[in-house]
Amino acid sequence: MTEESRPASLVAKILSRDANPVVQFLKYAVAGGIATAVHILTFFLAGFFVFPCVASDDILVRLFGLAAPVVEETLRARNAVFCNIIAFLVSNTVCYIINRLFVFKPGRHSMVVEFLLFFAVSAISVGLGTFLMGVLIDRFGIQTTYAFGANMVCSLAINYALRKFFVFKG
């Protein structure tokens, strides 16, 4: 093997769906990180431009010197839920595509069933996390950024548990 073909071979091995379990786990983590970044970006873009949910005293607004409209707590909570639904749809589609192309072997189910199962597990976790976020904003007046963080942690924990014990074999 020549020196020039080694890096290409290594990249091909890493991108292969037949990579060893450690590499597969790392690819799964990278896919999750990309999906999380897409979720956060989509949530806050929607929160600033589509359904205003970020208040002027929010840490993100203060940290970056952004302008935010004044929105009443109940409306802010409802809008945050809408933003999270939009972010969920976008980020889970991205996550599914990355996992299907680079992490797991597709084919156990038809592509439509596979896609729906992937979303079903995530929908449970994001539903509970979104409910928590809405309650934290509406009932406790917590800043959107902190409530969104609690939503992400809750969703991550539930998603991991459901996939580990109900989708995969542990």
Side-chain angles (χ1 to χ4, degrees):
M1 186 178 281
T2 67
E3 286 292 318
E4 293 176 356
S5 66
R6 283 186 187 156
S9 174
L10 179 61
V11 169
K13 259 186 160 173
I14 290 171
L15 294 179
S16 166
R17 290 186 185 112
D18 295 322
N20 74 51
V22 173
V23 172
Q24 186 180 41
F25 177 79
L26 291 173
K27 290 191 307 182
Y28 183 74
V30 168
I34 292 169
T36 299
V38 168
H39 191 103
I40 292 167
L41 181 64
T42 304
F43 176 84
F44 282 106
L45 285 173
F48 275 101
F49 300 112
V50 182
F51 295 107
C53 69
V54 183
S56 59
D57 66 341
D58 193 276
I59 189 170
L60 186 73
V61 171
R62 289 184 284 147
L63 185 65
F64 292 108
L66 303 169
V70 176
V71 180
E72 183 262 330
E73 295 295 310
T74 302
L75 178 61
R76 187 166 63 88
R78 188 190 75 204
N79 285 352
V81 169
F82 291 152
C83 292
N84 207 49
I85 291 168
I86 293 167
F88 168 77
L89 294 172
V90 172
S91 67
N92 263 287
T93 300
V94 168
C95 190
Y96 172 76
I97 291 167
I98 293 170
N99 276 285
R100 191 168 207 282
L101 292 175
F102 299 109
V103 181
F104 300 114
K105 290 181 184 178
R108 182 176 197 167
H109 306 283
S110 71
M111 192 163 151
V112 171
V113 170
E114 185 179 73
F115 184 76
L116 292 174
L117 288 172
F118 191 89
F119 264 73
V121 168
S122 296
I124 293 167
S125 66
V126 82
L128 292 171
T130 300
F131 173 76
L132 172 67
M133 178 179 64
V135 168
L136 290 174
I137 292 170
D138 190 38
R139 299 281 187 241
F140 300 102
I142 292 178
Q143 292 180 5
T144 302
T145 300
Y146 294 132
F148 181 72
N151 160 49
M152 295 294 287
V153 170
C154 178
S155 294
L156 175 67
I158 293 167
N159 198 32
Y160 175 78
L162 287 176
R163 286 193 175 152
K164 180 170 178 66
F165 297 112
F166 295 107
V167 176
F168 302 109
K169 292 183 178 181

